[in-house]
Amino acid sequence: MDLVGRAVELNAVDELLSLAHAGHGTSALLRGPAGAGKSALLRAVLARARAAGDLVLAAGADRWEADFPLCLLRQLFSERLLGQEIDRGRELTSVSAGGRAPGVPAAAVRSLGRHETRYLGYDAVDELYRVAVGLSEKRPLVIAIDDLHWADTASARWLAYLLRRIGGERVLVLGTTAPAEVWPADLADRFAHHIVLDGLSIPDVTTIAGALLGVPVAEGVGAACHAATAGNPFLVHALLRGLRQGGVPPTVSTVRALLERPPAEIVSWLRLVLAELGPGAAELAGTLAALGDEVELDLAGAIRGLSPERAARLADALTEAGLLNWRRDQVSLRQPLVRAAAAADLSQEARQHVHGGAARLLHARGAGAEQVGAELLRAGPLGETWAAQVLELAAVEAVTAGRTGHAVRYLRAALREQLGNRQRAGILVRLGSVLSHLDVAGAVAALRRALTVSTDPAQRAEIARQLAGLLCLSRRHEDGLRVLTEVREQCADPEVTEALLVGEALLALLHSSTAAARLTPEAGAELPPVLWSVRAILAGSERDQVLTWASAEADTALLAGPATALALTIAGANAAAAEETDRLFDAASSPADLAFALAVRTEVGYRLGRLTQCRDDARACLNALVRFGPRYAHGLAVTAATRLADTLSETGDVEGAHRLYEEILAADQLPGGLAGAWLLAGRGRLRIATGAAAEGVEDLLCAGRRLDAWRMPNPAVVPWRSAAAIGLATLGRLGTAKALAMEELELARAWGSPQAIGGALRVSGVLARGSAAVELLREAARVLAEAEAPLEHARALADLGTALRKTNQLAEARDQLRLAGALAQQCGATVVDRRIRAELRVSGARPRRQAHSGLEALTPTELRVANLAAHGLSNREIAARLFVVRRTVELHLSSAYRKLGITSRTELPPP
């Protein structure tokens, strides 16, 4: 099996033997990397030569015998050889310049046995040459020296003398060599032929595996062995012996498993090979193995204290030995098995030294944080200030690239460094943020630890905010509120205390019935601006002051961002609110922040009539929250799901809306706080719209009782009265319905939001009859035309068209209905548009067909995607902005291109 795949090389040497037999003396040097099978090939050739009757003089050099004078010559011309030749009836002779002198023992050969002989002069060298030629008189002579690179100087000088003079003799000189620091290149040049041994092929390796293991080899095993060894014969045999000794079946997986624990035979062999390459070779190889693939050579050398010149020489030697691969200025150990053996030969201390040195050098050279961080992970704590900073930066880069698992490892490694309390708390906060995507319990633990470590009031407030948010996301609302309260009570900083108070109040507003108490100032105290604004919004008063505060964004207290956006939209400034929600989305730094941004953007999108965006944002919000526990545990999920149900209902998916409410309430009681009232009102609207008026009215009245108990009458927040009035009218309770509608109109006027006033006017008009209905609906349409609420405006125009038709004002009815239809199509409100079309037919008009091309044909989402693309955003950037996958953006753009009759974004009309 040693000669599988070596037929070409054997044939080449056979031809040289034939030449020598014919009196054309020659020489050949077998070259190749360590383990290539040079010695095995030489043994096979010598066996053939002996079988053919040739005289074979063989010797082997060794690195430990290289300093012994005449070592190889003494092996070649040994007493044993002399005895053998005499026994064969031949006396050892030399050849003089003038002829042959048979029967005269060569004095030079006798002198080799003298202990004092350390150097051969010219006469002795020439006489030994003549002895060799004399030996070839009777039969061809083959002189073979294995590992010639370790030859002693005197023997090498004689060999060089011989190689120049054998041309007409029956002599063949063979040698093997491997890369070594001491090898004289000019001696190699004296050989007439060089035979280079390369790695074996996959079929050759497969053949060897089957023969050596003695069992059928599974498909792919040969290729796996070849991949691990690069076809190096020694490594192939050693790997297969390892499999056989381990008693495991030869499979691809068992071959790969040996890379984890390479056989000791391979580790020992590698030590010997590297020792032959000179000082520093083993250290350089170990460094390359520890650092992994493709390492800059000067970096690896510097870690081990090697000069660039020395590192380059060693790299050349490793390359010639077949152990090194180059890729531009980077190097790596060629065979995975060699890499594993070199790594296995390193102590843990040596590994850490390599990785620590690499980290320091890379950091000094300005390498990227993740590149340095990867080395720091394997180096262990360095106890140096910069290490924690780099690891934290590496975590940021990993999160940006979506590798949250790597980020966790970087941050945990940073925590093992020497840190001050503030820095340690900051890293723990970042760890909590990253873990919240993977392990909520772990994130909570990290934030609790950060809260324990930190002593800075502002930092503790931020930690408390994040911790409370995670606890609420995990259905632990009271625990979250308790964290904020405890940190606030321990804080002496007035600004931080105020921020924490705001956080408590806003979280309670979503989840708890205690919100009203938290929004009531203590005697002699004033509420912070955020809470004052929230209280004014819920009470339905001081709209102008609320708008002034929200527009100026004067308060930076805890959770003020979402409160600002909600204040703007409830006050009727929907366009400004949309800008604020986009800013919140872009600035979101934690899952809780992202969920808040999406939930608020869902609400603003619905009020702006952007139903497709509202649906997408609501689903994204729910997906962002689901990893923290039950899908609807958080009030944000309930509010987003309610608007999602509204959108499904508006677009014709009534069954989907019903299923959504069933999911919310399937395994839980009705949520507390504003989220519960929001849910009741939404389900009530759906029930009334689908014929279950009694159940719907009960839901709405229950929501109203909750809100009234909490002193939250503002219809711009939850317009439960007008929705209940529609249901009551359906049940025949018109008087009660009108009273509720009128109460809502009065509250809406007191608040002053055009959207709230227009909505209340519309319901009052629907409940009225004749000209009174027309006048109320005209006023509703007029008010809503000034509002930023196209969907509510479409409803008012549709109801006005119906009222005009009923009073026989058909021409104007058709005009109003057409305007309503255009707005409904713009919003994607399928149900409203369907009702408008039916009303147009009743009024005697033919409904205009929906546009199938041009800008009017684009859905709201298609239009938004097209506008973003026209602004120069890439598909990836658009997907991030809209919180959808890139494939969704591509589908919307393709649809937009088709409708606009274009083929690329460069043809998109300006936004």
Side-chain angles (χ1 to χ4, degrees):
M1 284 297 99
D2 286 346
L3 297 179
V4 171
R6 295 300 184 217
V8 173
E9 292 82 357
L10 270 173
N11 290 337
V13 179
D14 283 343
E15 291 180 8
L16 298 178
L17 276 171
S18 298
L19 287 173
H21 288 174
H24 304 292
T26 188
S27 58
L29 186 64
L30 308 182
R31 304 186 66 168
K38 303 179 293 295
S39 299
L41 180 61
L42 182 63
R43 287 192 297 270
V45 170
L46 297 183
R48 292 190 179 199
R50 291 188 180 100
D54 297 346
L55 174 61
V56 174
L57 303 183
D62 186 87
R63 67 186 292 253
W64 296 108
E65 299 174 2
D67 293 334
F68 295 167
L70 307 175
C71 181
L72 288 180
L73 286 173
R74 285 170 174 166
Q75 290 183 57
L76 290 172
F77 299 103
S78 65
E79 292 181 6
R80 179 184 176 191
L81 169 66
L82 292 175
Q84 288 175 344
E85 287 301 301
I86 291 172
D87 289 344
R88 292 170 66 98
R90 302 183 184 119
E91 290 187 357
L92 196 62
T93 62
S94 64
V95 180
S96 65
R100 304 187 184 276
V104 180
V109 172
R110 292 196 306 273
S111 72
L112 293 177
R114 298 171 187 163
H115 295 292
E116 67 272 11
T117 304
R118 302 183 61 83
Y119 176 78
L120 292 180
Y122 174 81
D123 291 341
V125 168
D126 184 67
E127 186 173 357
L128 281 176
Y129 154 70
R130 296 181 186 282
V131 167
V133 171
L135 288 172
S136 68
E137 283 291 306
K138 298 298 183 180
R139 51 181 173 153
L141 174 64
V142 178
I143 297 176
I145 302 175
D146 198 13
D147 290 334
L148 186 54
H149 47 283
W150 292 115
D152 63 275
T153 303
S155 298
R157 180 179 292 110
W158 176 82
L159 183 62
Y161 188 89
L162 173 71
L163 289 171
R164 293 184 58 193
R165 293 167 171 80
I166 59 174
E169 308 295 339
R170 294 199 300 168
V171 176
L172 174 63
V173 178
L174 297 174
T176 70
T177 184
E181 190 175 30
V182 299
W183 172 238
D186 57 340
L187 181 58
D189 294 339
R190 297 288 180 98
F191 282 83
H193 304 279
H194 286 214
I195 299 174
V196 180
L197 281 67
D198 294 322
L200 301 173
S201 66
I202 293 177
D204 292 335
V205 173
T206 304
T207 300
I208 294 172
L212 191 60
L213 296 175
V215 295
V217 176
E219 183 179 357
V221 170
C225 291
H226 188 274
T229 62
N232 182 286
F234 171 80
L235 293 176
V236 169
H237 283 80
L239 176 65
L240 294 171
R241 285 191 291 270
L243 283 175
R244 188 173 59 190
Q245 292 166 5
V248 295
T251 64
V252 173
S253 60
T254 55
V255 170
R256 290 174 178 167
L258 276 181
L259 296 180
E260 300 297 325
R261 299 187 65 182
E265 176 186 5
I266 296 175
V267 177
S268 299
W269 170 82
L270 183 61
R271 287 177 190 157
L272 292 174
V273 171
L274 295 173
E276 291 191 353
L277 297 182
E283 289 78 4
L284 181 59
T287 300
L288 294 175
L291 294 180
D293 292 336
E294 297 184 357
V295 180
E296 293 181 11
L297 178 60
D298 63 337
L299 173 67
I303 292 171
R304 287 298 189 172
L306 300 172
S307 68
E309 295 77 14
R310 179 63 181 159
R313 286 198 298 272
L314 288 172
D316 289 341
L318 286 167
T319 303
E320 193 174 350
L323 300 178
L324 202 65
N325 273 339
W326 287 80
R327 184 175 179 180
R328 297 187 180 90
D329 61 341
Q330 295 186 319
V331 295
S332 62
L333 293 177
R334 183 182 178 196
Q335 300 92 346
L337 194 55
V338 167
R339 192 157 56 240
D345 210 26
L346 285 175
S347 66
Q348 183 63 27
E349 182 181 357
R351 289 171 191 261
Q352 292 179 338
H353 171 76
V354 168
H355 294 300
R360 292 184 183 95
L361 287 170
L362 288 170
H363 178 61
R365 296 179 182 186
E370 276 210 84
Q371 186 181 1
V372 181
E375 300 304 327
L376 288 171
L377 286 179
R378 292 179 281 186
L382 297 185
E384 300 173 20
T385 305
W386 63 269
Q389 296 170 345
V390 169
L391 285 165
E392 193 170 5
L393 286 174
V396 173
E397 290 182 4
V399 168
T400 303
R403 297 188 296 272
T404 51
H406 287 72
V408 171
R409 293 180 62 204
Y410 291 136
L411 292 169
R412 284 180 171 158
L415 290 170
R416 290 192 287 271
E417 297 289 346
Q418 293 181 1
L419 304 167
N421 285 345
R422 182 175 179 79
Q423 187 180 10
R424 184 173 299 278
I427 293 173
L428 284 166
V429 169
R430 195 178 294 279
L431 176 61
S433 177
V434 175
L435 279 175
S436 65
H437 295 273
L438 305 170
D439 174 16
V440 178
V444 169
L447 290 172
R448 286 195 184 279
R449 185 178 165 200
L451 203 56
T452 302
V453 169
S454 177
T455 57
D456 179 81
Q459 187 182 46
R460 284 175 57 80
E462 175 61 21
I463 296 169
R465 179 183 80 85
Q466 293 197 30
L467 178 55
L470 271 183
L471 290 169
C472 287
L473 291 172
S474 306
R475 201 188 285 261
R476 296 163 65 183
H477 312 127
E478 294 303 321
D479 287 346
L481 289 169
R482 191 176 301 112
V483 165
L484 292 171
T485 302
E486 290 174 355
V487 174
R488 174 174 58 83
E489 290 174 347
Q490 296 167 5
C491 180
D493 188 315
E495 291 186 6
V496 175
T497 301
E498 180 179 301
L500 290 164
L501 182 62
V502 171
E504 290 178 58
L506 295 183
L507 286 178
L509 187 63
L510 272 177
H511 302 106
S512 173
S513 59
T514 65
R518 295 174 186 270
L519 292 172
T520 302
E522 298 178 1
E526 292 185 359
L527 284 175
V530 179
L531 293 189
W532 180 90
S533 297
V534 171
R535 182 183 179 191
I537 290 168
L538 297 174
S541 61
E542 310 290 350
R543 172 176 171 268
D544 290 341
Q545 290 179 255
V546 170
L547 268 176
T548 300
W549 165 79
S551 300
E553 294 182 330
D555 200 298
T556 58
L558 197 63
L559 295 179
T564 299
L566 286 172
L568 288 168
T569 197
I570 292 171
N574 291 326
E579 292 180 5
E580 178 67 11
T581 57
D582 287 341
R583 185 189 67 77
L584 286 173
F585 181 82
D586 292 338
S589 60
S590 70
D593 291 341
L594 179 61
F596 262 108
L598 286 166
V600 175
R601 197 163 75 172
T602 296
E603 177 61 20
V604 174
Y606 184 83
R607 289 174 183 256
L608 278 168
R610 299 172 180 173
L611 296 184
T612 303
Q613 176 196 326
C614 175
R615 179 196 62 203
D616 293 344
D617 282 342
R619 286 175 172 163
C621 178
L622 295 176
N623 290 336
L625 292 170
V626 71
R627 68 171 63 91
F628 302 106
R631 179 179 291 269
Y632 303 107
H634 197 281
L636 292 178
V638 174
T639 58
T642 300
R643 277 308 187 206
L644 176 57
D646 288 339
T647 302
L648 293 174
S649 177
E650 294 285 358
T651 54
D653 186 5
V654 174
E655 291 184 2
H658 277 299
R659 283 197 303 272
L660 195 55
Y661 284 117
E662 289 171 2
E663 287 178 14
I664 298 172
L665 296 170
D668 196 11
Q669 60 184 3
L670 194 66
L674 188 58
W678 196 276
L679 172 65
L680 283 171
R683 188 177 67 173
R685 289 191 297 270
L686 178 64
R687 283 177 163 177
I688 291 171
T690 54
E695 293 85 349
V697 167
E698 180 55 35
D699 279 344
L700 287 158
L701 293 178
C702 181
R705 287 191 292 271
R706 285 187 171 206
L707 294 169
D708 284 345
W710 301 333
R711 301 190 294 279
M712 302 178 185
N714 191 348
V717 178
V718 182
W720 64 271
R721 297 171 185 82
S722 56
I726 297 294
L728 288 167
T730 303
L731 295 173
R733 298 166 61 186
L734 188 58
T736 306
K738 287 184 176 182
L740 274 178
M742 185 58 64
E743 181 183 352
E744 180 162 310
L745 180 56
E746 291 174 358
L747 290 168
R749 292 188 189 280
W751 172 239
S753 165
Q755 188 167 359
I757 295 170
L761 282 168
R762 182 185 69 81
V763 172
S764 293
V766 169
L767 298 177
R769 295 290 182 270
S771 59
V774 170
E775 290 308 313
L776 284 169
L777 291 168
R778 281 190 195 280
E779 186 180 357
R782 178 182 58 76
V783 171
L784 290 167
E786 301 298 325
E788 298 162 347
L791 179 56
E792 190 63 30
H793 190 200
R795 292 194 189 103
L797 289 171
D799 289 333
L800 175 58
T802 300
L804 288 167
R805 175 187 61 78
K806 289 180 178 179
T807 57
N808 209 30
Q809 301 176 64
L810 298 182
E812 186 181 357
R814 290 191 287 267
D815 290 342
Q816 300 297 339
L817 289 168
R818 288 191 180 101
L819 288 173
L823 286 172
Q825 288 182 26
Q826 174 187 325
C827 296
T830 308
V831 172
V832 175
D833 186 48
R834 192 181 301 140
R835 180 166 70 87
I836 292 168
R837 290 171 176 278
E839 190 62 42
L840 277 168
R841 292 188 186 93
V842 173
S843 68
R846 175 180 295 180
R848 185 178 63 179
R849 296 180 62 185
Q850 282 186 293
H852 295 286
S853 62
L855 283 173
E856 292 183 355
L858 300 184
T859 66
T861 301
E862 288 170 352
L863 183 60
R864 190 172 189 206
V865 170
N867 284 339
L868 291 172
H871 272 113
L873 273 69
S874 66
N875 288 359
R876 183 188 296 274
E877 291 169 332
I878 296 171
R881 177 74 64 87
L882 301 182
F883 205 72
V884 297
V885 297
R886 185 161 40 173
R887 177 61 179 159
T888 301
V889 174
E890 292 169 354
L891 291 173
H892 284 311
L893 276 177
S894 297
S895 178
Y897 293 165
R898 176 177 51 78
K899 293 177 181 179
L900 295 174
I902 61 177
T903 58
S904 71
R905 66 180 64 212
T906 58
E907 301 175 72
L908 286 168

